[in-house]
Amino acid sequence: MTLNGLDIAKPAQKTRVVVAMSGGIDSSVVAALLARAGYEVIGITLQLYDHGAATHRAGSCCAGRDIQDARNVAQQLGIPHYVLDYESRFREDVIESFADSYARGETPIPCVECNRTVKFRDLLAFAGELDADCLATGHYVESRALEGGGRGLFRPIDLDRDQSYFLFATTKPQLARLRFPLAGMTKSETRAIAREIGLSNADKADSQDICFVPSGNYAELVRKLKPEADRPGAIRHLDGRVLGQHEGTFRFTIGQRRGLGIAAREPLYVIRVDADRSEVIVGPREALALREIPLRDVNWLGDTPIPSEGLAIHARVRSTRAPKPAMLRQDERGIVVEIFDGEEGVAPGQACVFYGGDGAGARVLGGGTIMRQPEGRIPLAPAGEAVSALS
């Protein structure tokens, strides 16, 4: 049978699609496009507001206004809409994990944990209970059928909106049931469609903050949830000098320059956060450069195991940075990424995502969580001959 536009062997009219509706423009346009194409669309919005840890309703999927916006769009489109109370799951899997990570001296990415848990694990399970054929979201990333079977994850057309970095933990079974209809569109095109259709939220601004920290003061949240981490300590230079005191290591992240609370003749950056010793180590910018990055909790989306000789890839250590040529390999330390030209500000708790290229349409090969560098970390050395990444 011929596949429909979602790569499912059914007519659109007999294909049931659950759309994760956050109340924003992107997911609203996804629901509108699928409904207009004749699919049986069911809108689902997650209520994630936490009464204990978060003090405001704010952010995508959490806020009272967002829920109402999603409900208004669903009513406008004439599709059923449900709100799921995932508050306790969100608190346990995302908020508490966020605070634990900061207390360990890491810099976590809550969006990765949210996608890994409540959005894909739990929401996909609920979509299965509804006998849905797939779950569609408004992420700017592509799920594409592979020649050998299964589906792969790829960077979208609009690299300025690329969200593949936050989806590296998506598993192969999840990819088989996920669809991302905005992969071939730019944000401006999405907004134009919202206006053309006349969606009630067509001019709504994008959310910029962590949804459960609308004020941006994440340190206050960590302090409340992990009071044992709120202990002072030394701010120490790499050469051993004590330059000042801090009020808690969770207030600092690797690469930070401003807000250190110390006076120095030269610009200093946070080089290391040692939560066990309650110390923040600072130094010159050149001390930030690293070449080898050990990883944990690696999710591999490639077709074959990582070869013993290593695999040429492009690696990305921050969502705001472009992928760089690198080598992925396994050794006695586990999974390690070698970035040929080195990288600055590599923070434990952040993600390192692997790509088979660096442009639009490049395949996401997986990723992992950056581990704390050992005391005798490997500094940036002169790069050897770079190997071209797989296309």
Side-chain angles (χ1 to χ4, degrees):
M1 184 175 181
T2 303
L3 300 178
N4 61 32
L6 294 176
D7 287 346
I8 296 172
K10 288 184 178 181
Q13 295 78 3
K14 294 184 179 181
T15 303
R16 179 174 294 175
V17 184
V18 167
V19 177
M21 299 181 68
S22 68
I25 294 174
D26 299 325
S27 59
S28 297
V29 168
V30 167
L33 291 176
L34 293 175
R36 191 161 64 176
Y39 293 94
E40 180 188 352
V41 178
I42 300 173
I44 301 291
T45 300
L46 305 182
Q47 180 176 318
L48 306 178
Y49 170 63
D50 182 88
H51 297 276
T55 57
H56 300 80
R57 290 178 180 266
S60 174
C61 302
C62 306
R65 173 175 174 192
D66 293 327
I67 292 173
Q68 188 59 50
D69 285 344
R71 182 179 288 120
N72 291 342
V73 169
Q75 184 175 11
Q76 183 179 354
L77 297 175
I79 63 173
H81 176 257
Y82 302 95
V83 178
L84 302 182
D85 183 358
Y86 277 11
E87 180 179 319
S88 61
R89 304 183 193 196
F90 186 71
R91 178 184 175 89
E92 179 180 349
D93 291 330
V94 181
I95 298 178
E96 292 183 0
S97 174
F98 175 86
D100 287 342
S101 183
Y102 261 116
R104 293 193 300 268
E106 300 177 339
T107 305
I109 314 174
C111 291
V112 169
E113 284 306 308
C114 189
N115 289 329
R116 190 200 311 255
T117 56
V118 295
K119 281 189 180 174
F120 288 166
R121 182 196 66 197
D122 297 339
L123 190 49
L124 271 171
F126 184 77
E129 293 177 12
L130 295 178
D131 199 27
D133 294 286
C134 66
L135 170 68
T137 79
H139 290 99
Y140 286 85
V141 68
E142 183 179 5
S143 167
R144 189 189 309 166
L146 301 173
E147 291 185 4
R151 300 186 72 82
L153 194 64
F154 299 82
R155 298 187 78 191
I157 294 296
D158 189 347
L159 293 181
D160 290 334
R161 304 294 302 184
D162 176 20
Q163 292 172 293
S164 62
Y165 180 84
F166 301 102
L167 299 177
F168 79 88
T170 308
T171 65
K172 291 181 179 180
Q174 288 173 341
L175 279 178
R177 300 177 60 206
L178 286 167
R179 299 295 186 272
F180 308 103
L182 301 185
M185 298 168 54
T186 64
K187 179 67 179 191
S188 59
E189 290 172 336
T190 301
R191 193 175 289 276
I193 290 174
R195 289 171 177 158
E196 178 252 317
I197 294 174
L199 295 182
S200 57
N201 61 351
D203 294 313
K204 185 175 181 178
D206 293 334
S207 176
Q208 300 295 328
D209 299 317
I210 297 173
C211 72
F212 55 90
V213 193
S215 66
N217 188 5
Y218 73 87
E220 180 63 19
L221 174 65
V222 176
R223 186 186 67 80
K224 288 181 178 180
L225 292 181
K226 304 293 292 184
E228 66 275 17
D230 190 22
R231 56 193 179 103
I235 299 177
R236 191 184 299 276
H237 195 279
L238 279 172
D239 63 15
R241 290 176 293 147
V242 175
L243 303 180
Q245 297 289 313
H246 65 78
E247 296 301 319
T249 57
F250 57 85
R251 293 177 169 87
F252 300 85
T253 186
I254 305 299
Q256 179 179 336
R257 177 183 174 188
R258 300 183 184 278
L260 301 184
I262 56 176
R265 295 180 179 178
E266 62 175 343
L268 294 176
Y269 300 79
V270 175
I271 306 301
R272 184 181 178 88
V273 177
D274 192 330
D276 296 334
R277 299 176 183 173
S278 193
E279 286 190 344
V280 176
I281 310 302
V282 299
R285 180 171 180 173
E286 54 266 27
L288 286 171
L290 285 178
R291 190 152 198 216
E292 293 194 346
I293 304 171
L295 304 175
R296 59 176 169 81
D297 301 329
V298 172
N299 182 51
W300 179 244
L301 295 174
D303 298 326
T304 59
I306 301 171
S308 57
E309 67 273 17
L311 180 67
I313 59 168
H314 276 73
R316 190 178 183 188
V317 299
R318 290 286 178 97
S319 63
T320 55
R321 299 182 187 177
K324 300 181 71 171
M327 180 68 72
L328 175 68
R329 60 172 176 268
Q330 288 184 277
D331 59 22
E332 66 280 358
R333 294 169 292 176
I335 302 293
V336 178
V337 170
E338 177 190 1
I339 299 182
F340 297 130
D341 293 334
E343 186 64 277
E344 292 185 349
V346 178
Q350 292 282 294
C352 180
V353 181
F354 323 138
Y355 298 89
D358 62 349
R363 186 174 174 184
V364 182
L365 297 174
T369 302
I370 297 170
M371 296 173 62
R372 179 189 298 183
Q373 293 288 336
E375 292 286 352
R377 70 196 186 109
I378 302 174
L380 177 62
E385 183 178 354
V387 181
S388 299
L390 299 179
S391 58

